[in-house]
Every structure is written in structure tokens, then in C-alpha cells.
Amino acid sequence: MKQKQLLFLHLFYWGMFLVGIIIVPYFVFNKGHFILGLTYCLTSFVCFYFNYFFIVPKFFEINKLYKAIAGFFISVTCFVLVRYFAEEVVLNHFFGISNYPEETEFWYYFFDNIYNSVTPIFMSTVFCLFKIYSSLDAERLQLVEEKKSAELKALKTQINPHFIFNTLNNIYSLVYQKSEKALPAIEELGQLLRYSTKDLEKDCITLDKEIGYIDSLIELEKLRLRNPELILVEKNIKHPHLNISPMLLVPFVENAFKHGDLRGKGFELRISDHNKVLHFYLLNFKKERMKDSVSGIGIQNVKKRLEILYPKHELNIKDSETEFIVDLKIDLKDE
């Protein structure tokens, strides 16, 4: 609970308390003694916050009922002693006013005031427990957010090494073949690394930047393909400045290049954002020697991030013997 809300709750309680103890009896019905009523209010106030700040935090434990009972009796004793000192000592000495006859014994006064102490002590306990559990709930939510943040940070750090590993393998093969495409490939890799080192630290980037990663990746991969025309890409982006978590789509494309049959069949990629709903569709055919699942570290990484960042997303993955299809929808306007 926020501090302002808690303060308002306290002010409301004491406002109602003053109305019930002083305003209504002494100003509406003209009954009782104003000074004694005011003394009772001050006594209640002192004991309320003594119980609120010291007794309940130290003595109230669900698993130790005896401590809670002991704390209650300490608060009652405090109330009785404070009220006795205020009414029977201070008021009697300075104003000649006393709430009880002079012959009243202390033990009678004590037991008679247990009833009067119950309301402020009970409400004080309720308010304090409410504050404690609200604070615990806020701490729990903070821990959840910190856990999410730490997990996302860890997942992001997995992306870059995995991406570099795959790309360096491609460049190595080009260098080994002494291909003229090796230098352009290194330039493309440098461009991608500039993207990743700059934007991976951000929580969100614009959609056009994420698609720019994919375009650069595809151009890099095409350098090693004999039939680059088999890579079919269709983009229909009307809202390029929508925000998206960085490197969320790239692992799917990496997966297609790593496991797809790019010599014979290539793959098909379609990206659109109709009504600000991102629709990412990727179809790639598997290599003949790879009939098992192709969902590796990168795909599992994306699944975890989607669960954390976009709980309302729709992800359908079809992993058959011959093809691997990713159909992802994210409502970016609600995120």
C-alpha cells in the first residue's frame, strides 16, 4: 500500500474516532465531560501508536500465539497506566477533575478499562498488520520484477555468443574456400555487431531496427548460398516505430539458416504489422539428414522471453519430418 493511502486511512480512523468520542457526545447531545473525553482520545492516540510501532512488529508472530497474547496484555497495561496517570493524577492535581471516585481501587480501575482499551488496540493491530502485509506484498512484487529483469538480462547475453558462433562458422568456411565473399561477410558481421552491442542493452527497440537485423543477417547468409533467390522475404510494415524487445525474431531466422535445406528449397519469410499486431511467419524445409527436432538454444531462449515480456502472444510451431514452421503473433499496441 502506498504511503499516501496509508496516511489517509489513519486520518479517516481518527476523524471518525473524534466524532464518536467528542463531537457527538459533547456538542450534539451535550453529555459527559469534554476534558475527560479529550484525555481519553489522547490516551488512545498514544497507546494506538505504541502498539502500532513497537508491540505488533515485535510480538506478533502467527506461529507463536503466546507472543501475540503477551503483546496484547502489554498494550492493555500501557493504556490503563497512561489513562490512570492522565485522569487520576494530572487532571486531579491541576483541575480537580477525576473520572472515578477517590475510593476506587487500582485493580478495579484496571479491569474496568480493559474494555475501553480494546478498540484502539485492536484497530492499531489491524492497521499495523495491513501495513506489514502490504509491504511484504510490495517486496514480493519487487522480487518478481527483479527476477524477471535478471532472467531477461541472462537470456539476452545468451543471444549474442550464439549468434556470433553461427556467423563465424559461415565466415570460416568462406575464408577456407578463399572466396571473394569473405570480406563482404566480415563487413556485414561488423554491422550486425554494432547493432547488437548498441541495442541489446535496451529494453525495447523500434520494429524497423529488429527487421534491419534480419535483413543484414539474410544478406550475410546469402553470401555463402549458391541459390540465394530461394530465400523469399515479404515485408508489409506500416508502423516501423512500434517497440519490440531486441533480438526477439532473429533467432528464428538463424535457426532456418542453420537447419534448413537452403540448397534445394530455401525458406519463406513473411512479416507484417496489420492493426499493430506483429505477424511473423517463417517456413523452412529440413535437410534430408535432419529429421529430428531443430528447436535449439535460440528458440528456447525466445520462448522464455515471450512468456515473460508478451504473455498474450500466440506462438505456433510446427515441427514435422520435412518442414519447420514458426507462426508468431504479438499485439504490440498493448505491450
Side-chain angles (χ1 to χ4, degrees):
M1 172 175 282
K2 296 181 180 179
Q3 292 297 323
K4 289 184 178 179
Q5 294 175 321
L6 194 60
L7 177 62
F8 175 78
L9 195 61
H10 281 254
L11 292 175
F12 176 78
Y13 170 75
W14 287 113
M16 296 299 295
F17 191 85
L18 290 173
V19 168
I21 299 301
I22 294 181
I23 295 177
V24 172
Y26 305 114
F27 293 99
V28 177
F29 297 108
N30 197 26
K31 293 182 179 181
H33 198 290
F34 177 78
I35 295 179
L36 289 175
L38 183 60
T39 303
Y40 174 73
C41 287
L42 292 174
T43 301
S44 298
F45 183 86
V46 170
C47 295
F48 181 100
Y49 286 106
F50 174 73
N51 185 67
Y52 183 86
F53 286 112
F54 300 103
I55 299 300
V56 177
K58 282 196 171 187
F59 286 86
F60 192 90
E61 294 183 27
I62 296 177
N63 297 328
K64 296 181 180 179
L65 185 59
Y66 68 92
K67 289 186 66 176
I69 295 174
F72 172 76
F73 280 108
I74 291 174
S75 293
V76 169
T77 302
C78 173
F79 180 92
V80 174
L81 292 176
V82 171
R83 191 179 187 192
Y84 182 86
F85 177 78
E87 290 183 347
E88 308 304 319
V89 178
V90 176
L91 291 183
N92 191 24
H93 178 75
F94 289 99
F95 301 100
I97 299 172
S98 180
N99 196 23
Y100 287 77
E102 291 185 5
E103 62 274 12
T104 302
E105 294 183 0
F106 177 77
W107 289 110
Y108 176 84
Y109 185 91
F110 183 90
F111 287 108
D112 192 51
N113 274 277
I114 290 178
Y115 171 78
N116 294 319
S117 68
V118 168
T119 298
I121 291 174
F122 174 76
M123 292 305 298
S124 173
T125 302
V126 171
F127 277 37
C128 185
L129 292 178
F130 196 62
K131 181 191 73 171
I132 290 173
Y133 287 116
S134 296
S135 177
L136 289 175
D137 189 56
E139 290 178 3
R140 181 186 63 81
L141 291 175
Q142 183 179 355
L143 288 174
V144 170
E145 291 301 317
E146 289 177 355
K147 180 177 179 294
K148 284 184 178 181
S149 178
E151 186 173 358
L152 283 173
K153 187 176 181 180
L155 290 173
K156 282 183 178 181
T157 58
Q158 290 178 17
I159 293 173
N160 211 15
H162 183 230
F163 168 73
I164 293 173
F165 177 76
N166 289 341
T167 306
L168 285 177
N169 274 341
N170 297 337
I171 294 178
Y172 174 81
S173 65
L174 292 176
V175 173
Y176 182 78
Q177 298 169 13
K178 298 181 180 181
S179 171
E180 295 180 355
K181 299 178 181 179
L183 287 179
I186 294 173
E187 291 178 2
E188 289 289 347
L189 176 60
Q191 185 68 22
L192 285 172
L193 290 178
R194 279 192 289 272
Y195 284 149
S196 61
T197 54
K198 181 180 178 181
D199 293 321
L200 265 180
E201 296 179 356
K202 300 178 182 179
D203 292 331
C204 292
I205 60 172
T206 56
L207 182 59
D208 59 340
K209 279 191 175 183
E210 179 74 2
I211 295 175
Y213 297 157
I214 295 173
D215 289 339
S216 296
L217 176 62
I218 291 175
E219 291 304 314
L220 179 61
E221 294 286 358
K222 278 183 177 180
L223 293 174
R224 67 181 180 87
L225 297 180
R226 295 179 180 177
N227 301 306
E229 67 278 359
L230 295 178
I231 308 300
L232 303 178
V233 180
E234 179 182 323
K235 295 178 291 184
N236 184 13
I237 304 300
K238 298 180 179 179
H239 308 281
H241 298 297
L242 289 173
N243 287 327
I244 188 171
S245 179
M247 291 292 186
L248 194 66
L249 306 178
V250 172
F252 291 120
V253 181
E254 282 186 305
N255 186 78
F257 278 112
K258 184 177 180 181
H259 300 293
D261 182 5
L262 302 178
R263 293 184 178 182
K265 299 180 180 178
F267 69 77
E268 176 185 348
L269 172 63
R270 295 199 302 268
I271 307 176
S272 64
D273 62 348
H274 182 64
N275 290 331
K276 297 184 179 180
V277 176
L278 175 66
H279 187 191
F280 178 91
Y281 177 88
L282 178 63
L283 164 64
N284 71 271
F285 298 93
K286 291 183 179 181
K287 298 174 183 177
E288 288 297 325
R289 65 179 181 276
M290 187 173 293
K291 296 300 183 180
D292 56 343
S293 174
V294 298
S295 181
I297 295 175
I299 302 300
Q300 297 303 319
N301 185 305
V302 173
K303 286 181 178 180
K304 290 179 182 178
R305 293 177 65 202
L306 284 170
E307 290 173 2
I308 295 172
L309 294 171
Y310 304 98
K312 297 181 181 179
H313 74 279
E314 296 179 19
L315 175 61
N316 295 309
I317 294 180
K318 179 183 177 182
D319 190 2
S320 66
E321 289 187 2
T322 58
E323 60 186 22
F324 188 81
I325 299 176
V326 177
D327 193 345
L328 172 64
K329 291 182 180 179
I330 305 174
D331 194 346
L332 295 180
K333 65 176 179 291
D334 291 337
E335 304 300 339

